[in-house]
Amino acid sequence: MNLARRMESFAESATMEVAGRIAQLNAQGKNVISFAAGEPDFDTPDFIKEAAIKAIRDGLNKYTPVAGNDAIKTAIIEFTKKTLGVEYQKNEVIASLGAKHSLYNISQALFDEWDEVIIFSPYWVSYPNQVLLAGAKPVFVNCPAANGFNPDIEDLKAKITSATKAIIINSPCNPTGAVFSAETIRKIAEIAVNDDVYLISDEIYDAIVYEGARPLSPVTLGDDVKRRTVLVNGFSKTFSMTGWRMGYALGPAPLVAAMTKLQGQSTSNPVTPMQFASVAALKDLSFLAPRVEEFRKRRDAMVAAFNALEGVACVNPAGAFYAFPDFSGWIGKSIDGEAIKDSVHLTNLLIDKAGVGPVPGVAFGAENFLRFSYALSMAQIEEGIQRLRAFAAKLS
Ligand SMILES: *Cc1c(COP(=O)(O)O)cnc(C)c1O
């Protein structure tokens, strides 16, 4: 097959690959507890399902305007005003088929070949690949675990060049669960203004935070920052609607117009009944607090268990539903006579010998770390912890 050259410029989604492999092993009768899920284990709330069913029954099944109908744009604008206190106009909003699609549209509409895009590392797997697919160059800025996975601002300053087009922020962060401090966000915004750089703020986990952690959105920092920022959010994580494919972006009208033009030649509008269901979703978040509380309990159990394992250290994540422990102390040790080489090797050994399936940190740019999602039941988490302890006991 003579495929287009651009297909070699980027990689397949590593998280989806690992989750798929674990599912396949379980289908073959193996018993692997998957900590690889990138989605809530909770189901979509009933009132949202009902709204979708009603829309379908009411015959709301035709095309809408490419960027979404008036109802969803209005609902997103009102929701953003309520949660962030920031106002947007209808020509500054576009609904897409998931936040990933919004981010793809942004990268295609904004990045030229040779542009540099700053990505904080550890990073969500799709950022570098979407940047590469646009022909641009990802430039990584490290967020050390010792710094609570907040970026080293001096490193950020050093990496800004005349070719820097944008900085991607993801707070709360997948994979670390870190919420960037207000000071960090302010400093990044100041750099963006001074160096004339755009900000892409992926706030998909903003509603899943613990102990009053308040992720600061750069769009709240005044017009100078807001007019160079595109805010991305979606329904997948907050509303347990991953399969429904609904996300959105809010930003400068010319960028939204370009994204709409691109979407008009690729997917057209997001699925019409889902737009109506999403309008209903944005009006009632009362279901969410007990779910976040359940996530918090699981997080506490996992983080405590990791920190009790010799050679493992885990920063307490303030948001999202991932723990990102450092397994450096296990690299170089042996299990059943086999020396552990790196995070991919450790993941494979954990899957095969312990029946525990995380995602290797190298997929997120952080060798020797593993990502454990806690979007699974407390019973499964406890069983997984037992299995990890048994594995640890065999290390030499
Ligand atoms: C899950 C996720 C997304 C994409 O979500 P959609 O399902 O496409 O809305 C975007 N960014 C991060 C960091 C995510 O974890």
Side-chain angles (χ1 to χ4, degrees):
M1 200 46 226
N2 194 2
L3 296 175
R5 251 179 311 169
R6 88 174 59 82
M7 293 310 296
E8 287 161 31
S9 69
F10 65 102
E12 135 177 52
S13 168
T15 44
M16 295 199 163
E17 201 262 336
V18 180
R21 194 153 60 84
I22 295 167
Q24 202 180 3
L25 284 171
N26 284 334
Q28 292 164 9
K30 293 248 170 39
N31 175 353
V32 182
I33 300 175
S34 179
F35 287 87
E39 59 187 334
D41 52 322
F42 304 113
D43 196 7
T44 310
D46 281 338
F47 77 97
I48 303 175
K49 293 182 189 172
E50 292 305 329
I53 292 163
K54 181 171 187 304
I56 293 168
R57 291 233 165 89
D58 288 352
L60 300 169
N61 299 306
K62 302 257 194 303
Y63 292 135
T64 72
V66 168
N69 63 26
D70 238 46
I72 187 64
K73 284 191 171 186
T74 303
I76 292 167
I77 288 169
E78 281 174 3
F79 182 74
T80 308
K81 183 157 184 227
K82 198 171 88 187
T83 53
L84 296 177
V86 176
E87 305 227 20
Y88 284 95
Q89 306 304 313
K90 284 198 182 127
N91 63 354
E92 297 172 313
V93 187
I94 172 173
S96 299
L97 288 102
K100 186 184 271 186
H101 185 213
S102 301
L103 289 159
Y104 176 81
N105 285 340
I106 293 166
S107 66
Q108 292 292 319
L110 199 58
F111 304 149
D112 268 315
E113 258 178 77
W114 316 121
D115 278 345
E116 293 179 1
V117 180
I118 304 266
I119 297 172
F120 295 112
S121 176
Y123 48 75
W124 183 53
V125 291
S126 291
Y127 301 138
N129 289 298
Q130 290 190 349
V131 168
L132 288 168
L133 189 47
K137 184 180 164 205
V139 174
F140 299 102
V141 169
N142 193 27
C143 297
N147 201 17
F149 294 115
N150 273 243
D152 176 340
I153 296 294
E154 291 313 307
D155 188 18
L156 171 59
K157 282 184 184 158
K159 297 266 169 72
I160 302 267
T161 72
S162 56
T164 308
K165 186 75 178 270
I167 301 171
I168 303 177
I169 302 172
N170 176 215
S171 168
C173 170
N174 175 3
T176 64
V179 173
F180 281 5
S181 71
E183 193 197 352
T184 295
I185 296 287
R186 284 206 181 87
K187 282 184 178 158
I188 296 169
E190 197 181 298
I191 290 167
V193 172
N194 289 342
D195 292 282
D196 193 18
V197 168
Y198 291 102
L199 291 178
I200 298 163
S201 185
D202 178 352
E203 303 181 13
I204 192 118
Y205 293 102
D206 66 344
I208 305 175
V209 289
Y210 311 106
E211 281 112 32
R214 286 265 170 276
L216 180 67
S217 174
V219 301
T220 62
L221 295 178
D223 271 351
D224 260 7
V225 182
K226 184 186 168 219
R227 66 188 168 74
R228 62 180 66 252
T229 302
V230 47
L231 189 167
V232 175
N233 210 326
F235 296 83
S236 287
K237 312 295 161 53
T238 305
F239 299 97
S240 296
M241 286 167 60
T242 45
W244 297 48
R245 314 310 303 128
M246 271 295 296
Y248 57 90
L250 299 151
L255 173 60
V256 167
M259 290 163 69
T260 306
K261 183 173 160 193
L262 184 65
Q263 191 159 297
Q265 295 295 6
S266 47
T267 59
S268 298
N269 61 273
V271 182
T272 302
M274 300 314 160
Q275 293 186 43
F276 287 96
S278 300
V279 170
L282 290 174
K283 298 216 152 84
D284 184 4
L285 261 76
S286 57
F287 71 95
L288 188 63
R291 293 181 174 196
V292 172
E293 180 55 19
E294 180 61 29
F295 277 142
R296 190 192 59 74
K297 282 186 200 147
R298 300 169 183 177
R299 176 201 67 162
D300 289 349
M302 285 227 304
V303 171
F306 287 131
N307 285 321
L309 289 171
E310 203 184 308
V312 180
C314 187
V315 174
N316 197 25
F321 38 76
Y322 310 100
F324 202 60
D326 180 355
F327 277 79
S328 300
W330 287 19
I331 308 297
K333 291 207 168 177
S334 295
I335 178 128
D336 301 335
E338 190 175 348
I340 302 171
K341 290 197 286 274
D342 53 29
S343 64
V344 170
H345 190 208
L346 177 56
T347 298
N348 289 331
L349 289 168
L350 284 170
I351 291 173
D352 293 341
K353 293 179 185 284
V356 165
V359 181
V362 70
F364 311 98
E367 189 46 278
N368 299 348
F369 286 76
L370 299 178
R371 190 193 75 175
F372 285 76
S373 160
Y374 42 93
L376 66 175
S377 73
M378 196 61 137
Q380 286 176 301
I381 288 171
E382 277 164 6
E383 171 64 21
I385 289 169
Q386 288 307 327
R387 293 180 183 190
L388 270 177
R389 286 194 189 122
F391 183 94
K394 291 199 285 176
L395 290 174
S396 59

